[in-house]
Amino acid sequence: MDGAVLVVSAQDGIMPQTREHILLCRQIGVNSIIVFLNKCDLVKDEEMYELVEMEVKELLDKYKYDSEKITFIRGSALSSIQGTEEELGKKAIEKLIHCMDTEIPEPVREHEKPFILSIDQTFTIEGRGVVATGSVEGGKVKVGDEVEIVGYKRKFKKTTITGVEMFNKSLDYAQAGDDCGLLLRGVEKNDLKRGMLICKPGLFTVHRNCTAEVYVLNDSEGGRKSPFFTKYKPQVNIFFNFFKIFYNFFLIYFAIFYWFISYLFLVLY
């Protein structure tokens, strides 16, 4: 992600998800944030606007964002849709788009690195084959290139790109930063899963174990209320459908009862 628009209700103020969104932006490295103060058509008190903005600034400062350099826009998405209150509607949205164009810097794309695409979705085009969609994280790929499908299985599957599409247009190639679909030769839909990689042959290997660094949310961030220690195993709760179980037992007992009555009838008569 290159930037984020944080939408906060001028009527409700900071919500629990607001804190989670800012924390998520910090964790995944989003440096550019624009704050859109929504529902300003429902609140006409200037002091209320300032109070909400002050709360948001304190939260941004807590997660090491420079709140003084972040743009706050007051508006109303509903007014923009309905065409009412032009200052809070149309003009506010235009200002938001302008800020997105000017304040979110153009990211540096890694075109020179080997090709990598993380699979987001897969679907089948009748008569053509399987298409894998996702964002190209690095490098460049063109029609006819040989690639490798990596993930889940230790044995990789090699295939060839037979088509590149983006926004319903056929292209000769895709490069870093593009959201595209790749048509793959000789691949079944079951061979692909979300999260697998399509990359340059020989670029990656699969491992069963790894060392990772994790950040665990605390209670105020929407996470755990109690700590956990070494060798902790998360509990898994399995819920069953009571009525489905009851119905299955009823069928079993009815079958046994029917068999018993039939047996008695044959013995007695």
Side-chain angles (χ1 to χ4, degrees), residues 113-129:
K113 289 192 174 182
F115 170 70
I116 308 172
L117 179 138
S118 179
I119 297 175
D120 184 42
Q121 291 181 334
T122 60
F123 55 92
T124 303
I125 299 179
E126 189 174 350
R128 297 193 65 189

Side-chain angles (χ1 to χ4, degrees), residues 107-149:
V108 178
R109 303 300 186 190
E110 298 176 332
H111 300 302
E112 303 304 321
K113 289 192 174 182
F115 170 70
I116 308 172
L117 179 138
S118 179
I119 297 175
D120 184 42
Q121 291 181 334
T122 60
F123 55 92
T124 303
I125 299 179
E126 189 174 350
R128 297 193 65 189
V130 175
V131 174
T133 64
S135 297
V136 181
E137 299 178 11
K140 181 178 179 180
V141 68
K142 62 181 182 296
V143 176
D145 282 355
E146 188 179 65
V147 292
E148 214 166 43
I149 301 171

Side-chain angles (χ1 to χ4, degrees), residues 1-2 28 46 84 140 159 164 186 191 200 217 247 256:
M1 291 179 63
D2 305 319
I28 64 176
E46 186 71 22
T84 58
K140 181 178 179 180
T159 183
V164 178
D191 295 333
K200 179 182 177 181
L217 300 179
Y247 177 72
I256 295 172

Side-chain angles (χ1 to χ4, degrees), residues 46 72 75 152 154-155 179 198 217 237 244 247 255:
E46 186 71 22
F72 284 74
Y152 294 100
R154 286 186 176 272
K155 187 177 180 181
D179 288 321
I198 300 175
L217 300 179
N237 296 319
K244 187 174 181 180
Y247 177 72

Side-chain angles (χ1 to χ4, degrees), residues 73-129:
I73 300 171
R74 300 174 183 177
S76 167
L78 184 62
S79 295
S80 175
I81 294 171
Q82 295 178 342
T84 58
E85 298 191 57
E86 188 175 356
E87 285 294 326
L88 295 177
K90 180 181 178 181
K91 290 187 177 180
I93 298 299
E94 289 176 349
K95 184 179 179 182
L96 174 62
I97 295 173
H98 176 73
C99 288
M100 291 170 65
D101 288 337
T102 56
E103 296 187 13
I104 298 178
E106 188 72 23
V108 178
R109 303 300 186 190
E110 298 176 332
H111 300 302
E112 303 304 321
K113 289 192 174 182
F115 170 70
I116 308 172
L117 179 138
S118 179
I119 297 175
D120 184 42
Q121 291 181 334
T122 60
F123 55 92
T124 303
I125 299 179
E126 189 174 350
R128 297 193 65 189

Side-chain angles (χ1 to χ4, degrees), residues 13-208:
I14 291 178
M15 303 294 285
Q17 59 266 30
T18 309
R19 186 185 305 274
E20 293 174 8
H21 291 161
I22 296 175
L23 174 62
L24 180 61
C25 286
R26 173 50 65 201
Q27 292 298 318
I28 64 176
V30 177
N31 296 318
S32 301
I33 292 181
I34 300 169
V35 179
F36 185 81
L37 208 61
N38 196 26
K39 298 184 180 179
C40 289
D41 56 324
L42 302 178
V43 181
K44 301 298 182 182
D45 188 357
E46 186 71 22
E47 292 184 358
M48 186 64 179
Y49 296 157
E50 294 177 357
L51 179 62
V52 174
E53 288 182 4
M54 190 181 302
E55 291 177 346
V56 176
K57 285 183 177 181
E58 289 178 358
L59 194 58
L60 289 167
D61 289 334
K62 179 181 177 181
Y63 291 103
K64 300 179 181 179
Y65 283 101
D66 189 353
S67 61
E68 297 302 322
K69 295 182 179 180
I70 292 177
T71 301
F72 284 74
I73 300 171
R74 300 174 183 177
S76 167
L78 184 62
S79 295
S80 175
I81 294 171
Q82 295 178 342
T84 58
E85 298 191 57
E86 188 175 356
E87 285 294 326
L88 295 177
K90 180 181 178 181
K91 290 187 177 180
I93 298 299
E94 289 176 349
K95 184 179 179 182
L96 174 62
I97 295 173
H98 176 73
C99 288
M100 291 170 65
D101 288 337
T102 56
E103 296 187 13
I104 298 178
E106 188 72 23
V108 178
R109 303 300 186 190
E110 298 176 332
H111 300 302
E112 303 304 321
K113 289 192 174 182
F115 170 70
I116 308 172
L117 179 138
S118 179
I119 297 175
D120 184 42
Q121 291 181 334
T122 60
F123 55 92
T124 303
I125 299 179
E126 189 174 350
R128 297 193 65 189
V130 175
V131 174
T133 64
S135 297
V136 181
E137 299 178 11
K140 181 178 179 180
V141 68
K142 62 181 182 296
V143 176
D145 282 355
E146 188 179 65
V147 292
E148 214 166 43
I149 301 171
V150 181
Y152 294 100
K153 297 180 180 179
R154 286 186 176 272
K155 187 177 180 181
F156 303 155
K157 187 177 182 68
K158 289 188 177 182
T159 183
T160 303
I161 305 295
T162 58
V164 178
E165 290 191 4
M166 187 164 54
F167 301 112
N168 297 321
K169 292 183 180 180
S170 295
L171 303 173
D172 295 328
Y173 64 90
Q175 59 186 4
D178 291 344
D179 288 321
C180 65
L182 302 179
L183 186 63
L184 306 174
R185 177 186 297 164
V187 176
E188 300 292 333
K189 189 175 181 181
N190 294 333
D191 295 333
L192 304 176
K193 292 183 180 180
R194 179 183 173 91
M196 295 178 72
L197 294 177
I198 300 175
C199 62
K200 179 182 177 181
L203 186 62
F204 289 107
T205 56
V206 175
H207 302 272
R208 294 187 182 274

